[in-house]
Amino acid sequence: MICPNCNNETSFHDERCEHCNTDLSITRRLVSWSNIYYNEGLTKARARDLSGAIESLKRSLKFYKYNTEARNLLGLIYYEMGECTDALCEWVISTNYKTGRNKAVQYVKEVQSDATNLDRISRNIKKYNTSLGYAQTGDYDLAVIQLKKLHSENPKYIQAGLLLALLYIRGGRKEGRVKAYKILRGILEIDKSNTQALTYIKELNDVRDKARARSRARQEETNKVDTKPKNTNTVIEDESVRVIVPYEEEKPMVLPVLQVLGGVLFGILIMAFVVQPAINKYKSQNSNGQFVEYSENKAAVDSETNSLREENADLSKKVEELEAEVADLQGGNPTDIANYKKMYENLIEAKQLFEEGSYRSSAKKLKKVDVKQLDSKKASKFYESFKDDAFLKASESYTLEGTDAYNGVNDYAAGHDYEVAMNLLNKALMFNEENTDAMYYLGRCYQLTGDTEKATEYFNTIVNEYPEARLYSDAASRLREMGYQI
Amino acid sequence: MNFEDELSKFRPSLDIDETEEAIYAQKKEDVVDVIQQIIDELKVSQIRKRK
């Protein structure tokens, strides 16, 4: 672990930096969170959920940028998906943060040492960018020609495959849709949860159903077993047994053909059961070798996080000691310090909830933070960096649910619930006073429950102060309905 | 599915020559840095108050 104060290497288990005596309790907590996200990313990568793994690893690095294991794995995933430049970026940054005993040094050497490989990568990227340019300017045929060649040489270049599939789907032809389906299946084998691939493959349900029907028919064919009983007579002569097969007319055209087909089938079975598994084993050993190494590292990280949990009780004691120190420095009373501490905890939790996508909870936590009491400019800047986004997204989320309750749809399919709708829309306005959609639907709820005075207030606000609002004309017509001249 | 919307989601890939620029353009700050800066500013403001 790197000490954030003096930037020297220090052990994760140290409570204080051995070089500058800085308290490392908060840093250790953040490093633990980084490791938790790294473990999550590693599990997802091993399950081939590469998109999910990228999200987890990026979060891990947001908490602790020196997590070289997370950064190296992120680079590997980018490389697997064909994004070689992004992979190199991560590995180069990793080598800058940690020079000794770092796998990234080896990865960068391997990529850069082979000039032919580098040249090939650069050409592929240029081909993809050119094809994208063609597609964006409407030259779809040229784009398809370039991308077909690129994809056949680099089936793991996911962006190229997705663009080609999209162009095939746009073409609308049956054979194009079948090709698109095969490409998307290939992409989903590399990255199980690739959102774009899943979206596109939904458009190809007809192709998928036909493929399944064909596979079922083939399955039924191979399950058929053809048996023919043979008649035999036994004749005992001089203690020997001879089996006489009764005479059957020869079918000259069928037997040789059957024998040839039997030989071919035997060869296919040998390939399928002997040769192919060996090839697959070799391939999976190669491609999974790196992940096996990371699983060894993961075991070490797991034991570190377990020991941190065991030390949880000690941390509380350390916090009390810290509070005493701060009280001594400030000369203030313990209640102020506790409030101060709670406020910063709320700020950190709000940021974490925001990163996880829980915008309502993040916004509620931020509401508890009094920005005027934040002494530090950096703390205020940290608060401002995501507060607007969190409030906006929380307001949108409340508006969506509020309009569902107003319309009686989705979770409120049982019927219109104007009380609940008003409660949710008021919360939406609490986080964004200029949310005109929330104002409009709140006005409608008041209008439909008989409170025309309040309804008029909201509609008037939209008409007078937000002439550019999406629901301006609806608000104006509601006012006319209630007898006002607009 | 809207083709134009889907097409607009595609971005050009960075070329190998642009690796250096991409590295410099990356944000170097993490939550540990932010917390440390907050602590440093608090220490400075406390020293000023004592004076």
Side-chain angles (χ1 to χ4, degrees):
Chain A
M1 188 168 86
I2 308 285
C3 171
N5 188 44
C6 62
N7 285 327
N8 281 310
E9 185 89 32
T10 180
S11 166
F12 179 80
H13 300 287
D14 287 343
E15 286 156 10
R16 289 194 164 272
C17 174
E18 57 196 29
H19 302 279
C20 64
N21 207 37
T22 302
D23 183 16
L24 295 173
S25 54
I26 294 177
T27 310
R28 282 169 68 189
R29 200 187 289 192
L30 293 169
V31 170
S32 295
W33 275 110
S34 177
N35 286 335
I36 287 167
Y37 280 117
Y38 163 69
N39 284 343
E40 191 181 275
L42 180 58
T43 310
K44 285 181 181 176
R46 289 168 83 191
R48 279 278 160 185
D49 175 8
L50 301 187
S51 301
I54 287 174
E55 286 308 310
S56 299
L57 292 169
K58 279 182 175 173
R59 279 196 195 125
S60 172
L61 293 170
K62 266 196 187 146
F63 275 94
Y64 184 59
K65 68 188 179 198
Y66 294 112
N67 193 336
T68 47
E69 300 296 337
R71 204 175 282 281
N72 292 348
L73 179 57
L74 183 60
L76 270 177
I77 291 173
Y78 280 140
Y79 196 78
E80 174 72 356
M81 290 167 75
E83 300 294 340
C84 302
T85 311
D86 290 332
L88 274 173
C89 284
E90 296 303 332
W91 291 332
V92 166
I93 292 171
S94 175
T95 55
N96 265 316
Y97 288 151
K98 186 180 175 185
T99 41
R101 282 182 67 197
N102 188 350
K103 282 273 174 196
V105 174
Q106 182 197 331
Y107 299 153
V108 171
K109 245 190 217 161
E110 268 181 34
V111 170
Q112 290 186 333
S113 61
D114 187 354
T116 329
N117 191 34
L118 264 182
D119 195 43
R120 181 186 61 83
I121 291 169
S122 183
R123 267 187 285 117
N124 289 340
I125 292 169
K126 285 188 172 77
K127 260 190 211 159
Y128 167 74
N129 290 339
T130 315
S131 309
L132 181 61
Y134 285 144
Q136 286 169 341
T137 51
D139 292 324
Y140 304 120
D141 294 333
L142 281 172
V144 166
I145 291 166
Q146 285 256 42
L147 286 168
K148 255 165 66 173
K149 199 173 173 212
L150 179 58
H151 181 70
S152 67
E153 289 166 12
N154 306 279
K156 283 192 174 185
Y157 194 168
I158 288 184
Q159 283 298 300
L162 286 170
L163 183 57
L164 182 56
L166 179 66
L167 289 169
Y168 276 141
I169 293 170
R170 185 212 159 265
R173 292 200 338 235
K174 187 185 164 190
E175 53 194 42
R177 289 167 69 80
V178 171
K179 286 181 189 171
Y181 182 76
K182 285 185 186 156
I183 292 169
L184 293 168
R185 283 286 304 271
I187 288 171
L188 288 170
E189 267 167 40
I190 300 168
D191 179 7
K192 263 190 210 157
S193 66
N194 188 295
T195 337
Q196 275 176 295
L198 291 169
T199 310
Y200 298 166
I201 217 167
K202 266 192 195 162
E203 296 291 313
L204 302 169
N205 282 339
D206 56 328
V207 176
R208 182 201 63 189
D209 294 339
K210 273 191 188 144
R212 281 185 185 167
R214 244 183 277 129
S215 139
R216 237 178 280 127
R218 244 181 275 131
Q219 189 72 28
E220 279 164 16
E221 283 268 342
T222 55
N223 284 343
K224 275 185 195 160
V225 175
D226 192 16
T227 56
K228 245 185 187 172
K230 281 203 168 146
N231 292 321
T232 61
N233 294 320
T234 54
V235 172
I236 299 170
E237 197 181 71
D238 296 336
E239 293 175 1
S240 65
V241 173
R242 198 188 300 167
V243 173
I244 300 170
V245 176
Y247 172 75
E248 280 181 28
E249 235 182 75
E250 213 182 62
K251 295 172 189 170
M253 297 304 289
V254 175
L255 195 57
V257 173
L258 281 175
Q259 283 170 345
V260 167
L261 283 174
V264 167
L265 188 65
F266 183 71
I268 290 168
L269 286 171
I270 291 288
M271 277 293 294
F273 290 107
V274 177
V275 176
Q276 193 59 32
I279 294 170
N280 285 344
K281 191 183 171 188
Y282 174 76
K283 272 185 189 168
S284 70
Q285 269 174 359
N286 261 346
S287 62
N288 287 329
Q290 304 296 346
F291 293 132
V292 166
E293 281 186 50
Y294 272 100
S295 71
E296 289 167 11
N297 289 333
K298 183 204 164 208
V301 168
D302 275 345
S303 73
E304 280 182 10
T305 51
N306 278 337
S307 69
L308 191 72
R309 280 194 199 104
E310 284 165 6
E311 289 170 20
N312 193 24
D314 291 336
L315 270 173
S316 309
K317 200 179 163 191
K318 297 286 177 289
V319 165
E320 278 169 33
E321 283 170 21
L322 259 171
E323 279 173 5
E325 270 185 49
V326 171
D328 184 43
L329 278 169
Q330 283 191 327
N333 79 60
T335 318
D336 289 341
I337 292 158
N339 286 341
Y340 221 59
K341 185 184 153 208
K342 186 74 192 160
M343 200 167 60
Y344 278 100
E345 275 176 5
N346 281 336
L347 188 55
I348 292 169
E349 278 169 26
K351 175 68 174 174
Q352 202 183 332
L353 287 163
F354 179 80
E355 290 299 324
E356 286 170 4
S358 306
Y359 302 117
R360 289 191 195 181
S361 310
S362 175
K364 282 180 195 165
K365 285 275 175 196
L366 281 173
K367 268 283 177 187
K368 293 180 187 172
V369 173
D370 184 357
V371 67
K372 290 178 200 137
Q373 283 197 27
L374 292 173
D375 274 351
S376 147
K377 260 188 202 166
K378 200 68 200 177
S380 308
K381 209 173 162 189
F382 183 71
Y383 171 86
E384 293 299 335
S385 70
F386 69 101
K387 166 232 168 193
D388 286 341
D389 239 350
F391 277 18
L392 211 67
K393 286 184 171 146
S395 181
E396 277 167 14
S397 171
Y398 279 120
T399 308
L400 262 168
E401 198 182 337
T403 49
D404 280 350
Y406 164 81
N407 287 316
V409 293
N410 295 329
D411 290 344
Y412 300 92
H416 308 280
D417 195 336
Y418 298 122
E419 288 293 324
V420 168
M422 286 197 278
N423 184 25
L424 290 164
L425 293 165
N426 272 316
K427 283 184 183 169
L429 283 176
M430 184 174 75
F431 290 116
N432 179 12
E433 288 170 356
E434 296 184 340
N435 187 339
T436 50
D437 283 7
M439 279 184 217
Y440 172 78
Y441 285 108
L442 202 43
R444 280 292 290 152
C445 288
Y446 279 120
Q447 186 182 11
L448 290 165
T449 51
D451 191 345
T452 49
E453 205 182 304
K454 274 234 150 118
T456 312
E457 216 179 280
Y458 283 107
F459 294 141
N460 266 329
T461 308
I462 296 172
V463 164
N464 294 330
E465 293 175 35
Y466 302 98
E468 304 286 328
R470 189 176 74 92
L471 296 169
Y472 171 85
S473 47
D474 293 273
S477 61
R478 295 295 172 200
L479 284 170
R480 280 193 284 271
E481 248 175 52
M482 292 192 286
Y484 294 95
Q485 293 246 348
I486 305 295
Chain B
M1 185 176 75
N2 187 311
F3 172 74
E4 295 299 331
D5 285 346
E6 291 301 320
L7 186 60
S8 64
K9 288 178 187 171
F10 286 89
R11 293 276 173 268
S13 285
L14 283 175
D15 204 345
I16 298 278
D17 307 332
E18 294 167 308
T19 311
E20 198 178 325
E21 269 174 49
I23 290 170
Y24 283 121
Q26 271 209 16
K27 256 194 206 174
K28 305 275 187 303
E29 221 171 45
D30 59 7
V31 178
V32 172
D33 292 331
V34 171
I35 299 291
Q36 186 60 34
Q37 281 160 6
I38 291 169
I39 291 171
D40 289 342
E41 286 192 16
L42 275 173
K43 279 182 187 167
V44 166
S45 68
Q46 278 154 16
I47 291 167
R48 280 196 198 129
K49 274 182 192 170
R50 280 167 106 186
K51 280 182 183 169

